[in-house]
Each structure stands twice: as structure tokens, then as C-alpha cells.
Amino acid sequence: MVRLVLVLGDQLTPEIAALRKAEKSRDVVVMAEVAAEAEYVPHHPKKIAFLFTAMRKFAAHLREQSWRVSYTRLDDPENAGSIPGELLRRASEFGARAVLATEPGEWRLIHALQDVPLDLTLLPDDRFLCSHGEFADWAKGRKALRMEYFYREMRRKTGLLMDGDKPEGGKWNFDHDNRKPAKADLFRKGPPEAQGDSVLDEVLDLVEARFPANFGRLRPFSYQTDRAGALRALDHFIEHALPDFGTYQDAMLEGDPHLYHAVIALYLNAGLLSVLEICKRAETAFHDGHAPLNSVEGFIRQIIGWREFVRGIYFLEGPDYPARNVLNHQRALPAMYWGGETKMNCMAQAIGQTRDLAYAHHIQRLMVTGNFALLAGVDPGQVHEWYLAVYADAYEWVEAPNTVGMSQFADGGVVGSKPYVSSGAYIDRMSDYCQSCHYRVKEKTGARACPFNLLYWHFLIRHRDRFESNPRMAQMYRTFDKMDDARRETVLAEAAEFLDRLSSGETV
Ligand code: FAD
Ligand code: DLZ
Ligand code: SF4
């Protein structure tokens, strides 16, 4: 009897488990653009356009490979509006009872599939190096889960950058060579821009018509939308940016949104690239003498370390994870995140770039927009929804642990051992943003004091009971305590007053 083979928008590879298990001669592949997926958060128009175009091209590719594909477009009058609805519709069309699916990357959709009254086989998503079981075994009995130790296991497991059973270069981690600020360079090559085509044009018109109010600029659109294009983006990164990736991975520059970053997470997460092919390309670049170890190790760590680690956490911690809020932060997400005015240049740059490109690099996400939300005590649920909506690479399995855990410390320290907070000095050191800001980064109090400077102390004092005994934070409290009483009072009062203005909707 015919079976339905579900392929979701972020499962666009012939290697996906459900397709590997399916039989071309008998089964029907089901793919669907549906309102439920396009609207569970107000996704950036570029993200929707990227996925729908990549889905349509992947469906065409499968047909070329002789698969029978039932593809539903968003504007199809028969569209049932949700993945379960589409499965039921196709089941009755083909007289099918059984569905083969690969586990979705979000609890919401896993539960929705489990509720469909069809005979569902849910296969593990083995695009990842570490299965849920392996991660649970690794985590078992550990007092704290630390990425660095998990990463070493993944290095051993894959053999990447290993010299026998020792790490290449004698060390697991070369981060002390990294984290330098960058200088403007007119010859730095950003990611390659894709040419438009008729599939993309049709999707752009659809997205423009259906999602006119979503935050984010749809055009110009230059992301790759198929495997060949994603491979070109990977080649381009290895050739032009990987050698300097490590050294400048934390740098931020006005007018240079990509620096030496790969801009491949959107392709990798959607299935257009695979973990091992990316990492092996980087490793070969090291062995060929094209890229130094600090860059290649740092890059591979992000993918087989952080990326696998956060996925492990998402599935280990369970469906309530995105709703955690241990710091009890309740402030509404300020309007500036949705494009409202701000006088803070770092925020304007990171958010403006997000609006234009559906992209910001890690340090912009963590140490600018994330840092500000945490210092200001914004409700982490609202922060989570924002990150899930605005980035082209965002799916809950990867976004939630990064946002709720790493960035907002709302999980109480599952992902990180301390909150990522900083005053303006860090942003000033790593970027050129402060040079053209309304505020003055060197000023600690007064009308023009950098808000990060004020809020940094306000955050630490608000949460003194929780963090004072953390050995990695004790020095910060000692610094605060050494200030004279009047200065401490001024800082906290000005921070509180800033927060009031922020909440009242004033442009800050
Ligand atoms: P590069 O900087 O070139 O890094 C190379 C690759 O490493 C990335 O493509 C990505 O696959 C991987 N990687 C790097 N850091 C991480 C990380 N912390 N977690 C997982 N993978 C990582 N990444 C997403 O893929 N989707 C998200 O929704 C997402 N949300 C984030 C939210 C916050 C608050 C923060 C702080 C980080 C988030 N990240 C997310 C991680 C990281 O910022 C992005 O993976 C990266 O910026 C993507 O750009 P790139 O491809 O140029 O990456
Ligand atoms: C993100 C997304 C969007 C915007 N639209 C669709 C869609 O119409 N059809 C689909 O199959 N998948 C879509 N996706 C990706 C899913 O939301 C994603 O598979 C789940 O969030 C699990 O990661
Ligand atoms: Fe951001 Fe403060 Fe620098 Fe302005 S002065 S760009 S607000 S860190």
C-alpha cells in the first residue's frame, strides 16, 4: 500500500532519513507550504522566500530523480493550512494510511505529527553527529553540561583535526589567538550573490503579497536557494574567508555585516549542506596550508561543538525549555527590535542589518541585541520569538538554547556557566560602532552615558543573590563595591530611569 513520505522545509536533502527509507516505486513524497509553519512567528520575508524557493526546487529535483511528489503551494485553494492537515488530505487522495517522517526540529511539530490519526513512523534525524541517546548518555551523571568537553567527544568521534588520539597542534581549542577587532577593508569579499530565476521571482511575489507587514526587507534577495548554490557559498567561504575566520570572529564593523563569517547556517539547517562535508572542507584547507589552525579549529568547533551541543540540550531538556525564565524578567521587547528608532548605534546597526538581510553574526546576536535584552530585563519568551522570527537560519532546536540559554540565562545555567553580559567597553573594543553613537562609551553616568554601562551594574545588582558567589563573576561585584556610595547610587538611579524611559516607549 502507498505510504506518504513527509519532507519538511528544513529537510531538503535526498539523504534525509524518510527518503532513504522510502520506496520510489510505491510511495508519495508530501511537501507543503502551509500557513501554520509560515505564521507560528512572524518570520522575516527573506526567510520565508528562501525556504519556499528551496522547497520548490528540491521538489523539482526529486521529480527529476523519478520520485512521485505531491507539492502544495501556499496559494493553492485546496491547501489545508497545516502539515497535519496536508497529510490527511493527501492520505485521502492516495488512499494511504501510513506516513514516514523524519523527526522535526521543534517539539510543537513533533507533537502535532503524533496527533495525526494515521500510522506514523518517525525516524531519527541522523543529519546530526550526535543522537538523542548519545547526548543523554554523555550528559548522565554530570553536574554541569559544558560544551568544551562534549566537543572533544565529537572530535574523537569524527576524527576531525585529530592526530591519532591527540588533538591537532597539541590543544583542543585555539581561542586565545582569536577575538581581535577588524579594520575596514574594501576588498573583503562578502558571500556570493545568487542570480534570480523564475522560481524565485514567483515566490518573491507570493511572499510580498501574503506577508506585507512582517518585519524585514524582502528585496533585494541574493541568498542561494538550491544545493549547487549552497556549495558555491561554501567554496567561496573556504577560499576567501576561512583563513581569517578565527582571528576576527568576534569583530563587528559598521557597513560590513559578514566580515569573515561563513553565512551558511541557513543552508546547513535547511539540509542543503551537511555537517561533515563542511567540516572536511575546512580540515582539508588546514592540511593544504590554505587556512591556519586557529581559524579551522574555531570554525569546526562551532559546528560539531556548539551546534550539536545546543541541539542535544533542546531535546534533553524537553518542550518547556523555551518558556523558562529563571531571572523572572518581564519587560516587553522594546519597539526598536522591530525597527523602531534608537539612538544606540550598536543596536541600530545590528537590527538594521537583521531587517535587511535576515542575518547577523554571532557576536551581534549575543553581545549586542542579546546583551541589551538581558541587561534590560526583557521577557525571554519575547526575545526568543524575535530571534526565531528574524533570522533566515532560525529553527527552535538551535535558536531556543542559544537565546533562552546562552544569551538570556533564562535556563539558569544549563547552556552556559555565567550570563553573557558586558558594559559598552566590550562593544567598543570589538567594533567601530561607538565612534558614531549618540552616547559616549567612556561615560559611566550622565545624560550621554552609554546605556550598556548603566544597565550592566543594574543587572548585576538586581541579581546579586544569584551571581555573587559565581567565581567567574566575583570580581565584577568587588569592582562595584569599591565605588563610592554616591557613585553607586547615581549609576543605579540613572539605570532605573533609563529603563522607565525605555518602557514608556521613548526613543533611547
Ligand atoms: P559562522 O559564524 O560562520 O559559524 C559557522 C557555523 O557554525 C554556523 O553556520 C553555524 O552552523 C555554526 N554555529 C556557530 N555558532 C553556533 C551556535 N552558537 N549554535 C549553533 N550553531 C552555531 N544559529 C542558527 O543556526 N540558528 C539560530 O536560530 C541561531 N540563533 C541564535 C540566537 C542567539 C541569541 C545567538 C547568540 C546565536 C544564535 N545562533 C543561531 C548561533 C550563531 O549566531 C549562528 O549560527 C551564526 O551567526 C550563523 O551565521 P554563519 O553561518 O555566518 O556562522
Ligand atoms: C520555517 C518554515 C516555514 C516558514 N514554512 C514552512 C512550510 O510552509 N512548510 C514546511 O514544511 N516547513 C516550513 N518551515 C520549516 C518548519 O517550520 C520546520 O520544519 C519546523 O519548525 C521544525 O524545524
Ligand atoms: Fe552601543 Fe554604547 Fe557604543 Fe553607543 S556607546 S554604540 S550604545 S556600546
Side-chain angles (χ1 to χ4, degrees):
M1 200 176 169
V2 63
R3 289 177 304 186
L4 303 181
V5 183
L6 177 66
V7 175
L8 294 167
D10 54 353
Q11 300 180 340
L12 306 181
T13 165
E15 296 305 311
I16 201 76
L19 281 173
R20 291 207 321 271
K21 194 151 179 154
E23 285 173 35
K24 263 187 200 171
S25 55
R26 172 177 86 161
D27 299 333
V28 177
V29 175
V30 174
M31 297 181 69
E33 299 165 8
V34 290
E37 295 310 306
E39 292 170 4
Y40 62 81
V41 287
H43 299 286
H44 194 295
K46 274 196 168 78
K47 177 182 182 184
I48 305 175
F50 161 67
L51 267 193
F52 284 6
T53 310
M55 285 171 70
R56 290 181 185 194
K57 291 185 177 180
F58 184 66
H61 171 77
L62 289 179
R63 287 194 184 110
E64 278 161 24
Q65 304 296 311
S66 309
W67 286 96
R68 215 158 31 130
V69 183
S70 281
Y71 191 97
T72 308
R73 293 178 176 216
L74 192 70
D75 51 6
D76 184 334
E78 307 286 303
N79 193 320
S82 69
I83 296 294
E86 277 296 295
L87 285 173
L88 287 171
R89 186 165 79 86
R90 296 301 186 186
S92 100
E93 181 181 342
F94 293 102
R97 292 277 330 134
V99 179
L100 264 181
T102 312
E103 184 184 74
E106 190 169 338
W107 288 109
R108 171 188 62 83
L109 199 48
I110 295 176
H111 293 151
L113 289 185
Q114 286 166 340
D115 289 344
V116 179
L118 292 170
D119 175 12
L120 173 74
T121 305
L122 205 53
L123 301 165
D125 188 346
D126 54 10
R127 286 177 293 172
F128 295 88
L129 298 175
C130 185
S131 68
H132 300 335
E134 257 178 287
F135 192 83
D137 286 347
W138 173 79
K140 204 165 168 185
R142 284 172 194 264
K143 256 180 38 203
L145 305 182
R146 290 298 157 247
M147 194 286 298
E148 187 62 33
Y149 299 109
F150 170 80
Y151 164 57
R152 293 178 192 179
E153 292 303 313
M154 292 298 108
R155 288 274 292 277
R156 290 192 186 95
K157 177 174 177 171
T158 56
L160 285 164
L161 294 181
M162 294 300 290
D163 182 6
D165 59 356
K166 299 266 182 319
E168 191 73 63
K171 282 191 308 185
W172 293 102
N173 181 318
F174 288 81
D175 251 0
H176 78 273
D177 297 339
N178 296 342
R179 303 185 171 154
K180 297 197 170 61
K183 290 212 173 62
D185 176 354
L186 291 177
F187 299 104
R188 197 154 34 228
K189 286 181 189 278
E193 298 189 356
Q195 301 298 314
D197 55 51
S198 57
V199 183
L200 175 65
D201 287 346
E202 225 181 319
V203 171
L204 290 177
D205 289 345
L206 171 78
V207 173
E208 193 163 51
R210 275 293 290 265
F211 306 97
N214 286 24
F215 169 73
R217 210 161 260 169
L218 177 62
R219 300 172 204 262
F221 183 99
S222 58
Y223 286 120
Q224 312 294 330
T225 49
D226 58 15
R227 167 132 175 99
L231 281 171
R232 273 197 298 280
L234 174 61
D235 286 349
H236 185 95
F237 165 68
I238 301 276
E239 173 74 20
H240 299 290
L242 177 64
D244 289 309
F245 172 86
T247 312
Y248 300 112
Q249 68 178 308
D250 290 3
M252 298 174 278
L253 276 186
E254 203 165 320
D256 192 340
H258 306 111
L259 285 151
Y260 298 99
H261 290 273
V263 198
I264 54 165
L266 77 168
Y267 310 128
L268 174 58
N269 295 348
L272 300 180
L273 295 174
S274 82
V275 168
L276 280 181
E277 78 182 331
I278 295 172
C279 293
K280 284 187 174 150
R281 288 291 311 278
E283 186 186 40
T284 304
F286 165 66
H287 288 308
D288 290 349
H290 173 64
L293 190 52
N294 68 306
S295 280
V296 174
E297 184 283 312
F299 178 71
I300 287 178
R301 174 160 24 97
Q302 306 311 315
I303 297 185
I304 67 169
W306 277 113
R307 185 171 183 272
E308 296 281 334
F309 179 73
V310 297
R311 177 175 185 264
I313 300 268
Y314 178 75
F315 283 103
L316 186 72
E317 290 292 312
D320 80 310
Y321 184 84
R324 293 194 193 164
N325 186 2
V326 301
L327 299 179
N328 192 24
H329 281 173
Q330 302 293 346
R331 195 175 308 282
L333 189 72
M336 71 178 91
Y337 281 80
W338 298 112
E341 290 273 298
T342 173
K343 294 187 264 188
M344 291 181 277
N345 191 37
C346 52
M347 293 291 283
Q349 293 302 323
I351 294 166
Q353 184 191 314
T354 301
R355 177 199 59 219
D356 292 348
L357 302 171
Y359 177 83
H361 71 66
H362 187 67
I363 291 302
Q364 295 174 308
R365 297 186 204 194
L366 186 64
M367 299 311 293
V368 179
T369 43
N371 186 16
F372 184 77
L374 178 57
L375 293 179
V378 177
D379 170 4
Q382 294 186 34
V383 183
H384 156 59
E385 286 200 4
W386 184 77
Y387 280 97
L388 190 55
V390 302
Y391 291 111
D393 52 37
Y395 304 91
E396 197 174 271
W397 65 267
V398 54
E399 176 279 330
N402 269 299
T403 303
V404 175
M406 186 190 301
S407 165
Q408 299 301 298
F409 205 80
D411 65 0
V414 177
V415 169
S417 56
K418 79 183 226 336
Y420 281 93
V421 283
S422 80
S423 66
Y426 174 85
I427 296 173
D428 190 31
R429 190 161 66 247
M430 296 315 303
S431 79
D432 60 356
Y433 294 154
C434 302
Q435 292 161 24
S436 42
C437 185
H438 163 87
Y439 296 105
R440 300 197 175 119
V441 72
K442 302 268 189 277
E443 292 185 16
K444 314 286 186 215
T445 56
R448 288 288 184 102
C450 165
F452 285 84
N453 293 346
L454 296 170
L455 297 182
Y456 177 70
W457 294 120
H458 196 267
F459 171 87
L460 288 176
I461 298 314
R462 277 199 320 267
H463 297 297
R464 187 165 198 146
D465 288 351
R466 180 179 290 272
F467 295 126
E468 191 172 26
S469 56
N470 183 327
R472 297 180 63 201
M473 298 181 75
Q475 179 57 41
M476 303 171 190
Y477 285 97
R478 280 198 290 275
T479 305
F480 184 78
D481 291 341
K482 274 194 211 137
M483 292 180 197
D484 64 51
D485 290 353
R487 190 166 176 79
R488 284 200 303 251
E489 269 169 38
T490 306
V491 168
L492 296 180
E494 288 188 8
E497 190 246 339
F498 175 88
L499 289 172
D500 285 346
R501 287 192 287 121
L502 180 70
S503 280
S504 72
E506 200 178 304
T507 298
V508 293

